[in-house]
Amino acid sequence: RLSVHAVVALPIAFKDGDTTETFVAGAAGLGVRLRATDAITLRLETWTSYAGAEHGTTVPTFVGGEVWF
């Protein structure tokens, strides 16, 4: 009912106007999934993404749920 998983990604920031440049950042983190019932699963993932001294570090966190039919 409970699982832990590793997350690895390469988030890309696309150009969004004259002041933003396109760049790729490395990201890694952990996720937890709890199957509360046979039909409902809850998820929590948190990552750390570092894009160099110019862009800094971000820590996106995602919370969500799944409904199984």
Side-chain angles (χ1 to χ4, degrees):
R1 294 225 179 255
L2 180 68
S3 65
V4 176
H5 54 276
V7 180
V8 178
L10 291 173
I12 301 171
F14 293 103
K15 195 169 205 171
D16 168 4
D18 293 336
T19 60
T20 305
E21 65 181 274
T22 301
F23 63 93
V24 178
L30 290 175
V32 176
R33 184 181 345 187
L34 173 64
R35 186 122 192 207
T37 68
D38 287 339
I40 298 174
T41 302
L42 305 173
R43 299 179 70 119
L44 170 67
E45 291 182 353
T46 188
W47 307 23
T48 299
S49 179
Y50 180 69
E54 184 177 333
H55 299 288
T57 302
T58 59
V59 183
T61 300
F62 303 94
V63 176
E66 301 172 1
V67 177
W68 294 75
F69 295 99

